[in-house]
Amino acid sequence: MTENSPTLRLVTLLSILMVFGVQHVFGQHTGHDATNKPVNSPYVGQETRAIKALSESDIQGLLSGSGTPFNGMAKPAELNGYPGPRHVIDAYESGKLDLTDIQFEKIQAQFLEMQNLAIPLGEKLVAVELEIEEAFQNKTITQELLQSHIAESAGLYAQLRVLHMSYHLKMIDILSPDQISQYNILRGYSIETNPCENVPEGHDPQMWKLHNNCN
């Protein structure tokens, strides 16, 4: 098992989780006063939602083909240097990102294509979640119904994530590395391609370059 193998990383993660779990258990049984634990639910206020599992912004995003629901469906792409077409268009239209006419036309076409594919999936997901909501409200929920509806909802969610991230992936073939770098700066991300030329604020430049093997 190599140092950077996925198996080793998984084992390390599980070990960390187990340590936290043990600490939590010991914390419960070594004089910890359970009466001081808060009992208020973090869901307070959400009981008034039309669909408890979805916020209003989630519903709006799903119905409009946006990637914003569920706290962002394309985060692994967006936060690792794969721009989103909608945000690229916004940056261009605000005059902060330069694109050629051909680039803009391609990205706009990609965005509209993605949106047209995402909206039907989002509509189906909202409909399924509404069925789950109504079944619980009406006390008609059964184990079989729950399993089938949750499986359908999860499948639609997976399709949407794949769809949104796929179009982030397509931007790499349209934008130049410099444009992608400028996009990341505009979005406020700290993705840097050359640590030797970009010393983070608060770090000693000499020590930073030494640790990053800079000449």
Side-chain angles (χ1 to χ4, degrees):
M1 197 161 50
T2 62
E3 183 179 352
N4 294 318
S5 70
T7 301
L8 181 58
R9 291 198 297 272
L10 179 58
V11 170
T12 302
L13 177 59
L14 290 175
S15 299
I16 293 171
L17 292 174
M18 287 176 66
V19 169
F20 278 115
V22 170
Q23 290 176 342
H24 177 69
V25 170
F26 276 99
Q28 288 181 323
H29 299 286
T30 55
H32 180 72
D33 187 0
T35 60
N36 291 330
K37 296 178 70 174
V39 295
N40 286 344
S41 170
Y43 308 138
V44 170
Q46 296 180 14
E47 70 275 10
T48 61
R49 288 178 175 178
I51 302 176
K52 306 299 185 292
L54 302 176
S55 67
E56 287 301 316
S57 61
D58 285 336
I59 294 174
Q60 292 174 9
L62 289 167
L63 297 181
S64 66
S66 168
T68 57
F70 306 111
N71 200 31
M73 288 189 284
K75 276 187 177 180
E78 173 73 10
L79 299 181
N80 280 293
Y82 292 81
R86 174 70 269 176
H87 302 307
V88 172
I89 292 171
D90 290 341
Y92 170 75
E93 292 182 338
S94 68
K96 296 178 180 179
L97 181 67
D98 290 331
L99 298 174
T100 67
D101 291 342
I102 293 176
Q103 283 179 316
F104 177 69
E105 290 172 4
K106 285 183 178 179
I107 294 170
Q108 192 171 46
Q110 294 280 2
F111 172 71
L112 293 174
E113 181 179 274
M114 179 194 72
Q115 192 176 45
N116 289 334
L117 292 171
I119 288 175
L121 292 173
E123 290 174 344
K124 289 179 182 178
L125 198 155
V126 171
V128 172
E129 287 295 332
L130 180 59
E131 290 179 6
I132 296 171
E133 174 71 26
E134 291 177 341
F136 273 104
Q137 282 186 2
N138 300 331
K139 313 301 184 203
T140 58
I141 191 71
T142 64
Q143 188 66 33
E144 293 76 15
L145 185 68
L146 182 63
Q147 288 180 334
S148 65
H149 280 21
I150 292 297
E152 185 178 1
S153 177
L156 290 165
Y157 172 67
Q159 290 181 63
L160 278 167
R161 289 196 73 199
V162 170
L163 177 66
H164 282 286
M165 280 191 263
S166 293
Y167 280 85
H168 279 249
L169 208 60
K170 292 175 186 290
M171 294 300 101
I172 299 299
D173 295 327
I174 300 174
L175 299 173
S176 70
D178 286 343
Q179 288 171 321
I180 292 172
S181 178
Q182 182 63 23
Y183 171 88
N184 289 326
I185 293 171
L186 290 171
R187 295 284 283 164
Y189 304 142
S190 58
I191 300 172
E192 302 292 355
T193 56
N194 189 345
C196 297
E197 296 180 0
N198 299 278
V199 180
E201 185 178 352
H203 288 263
D204 178 80
Q206 186 175 356
M207 292 301 298
W208 173 264
K209 292 181 179 181
L210 178 64
H211 289 312
N212 285 278
N213 299 315
C214 303
N215 295 326

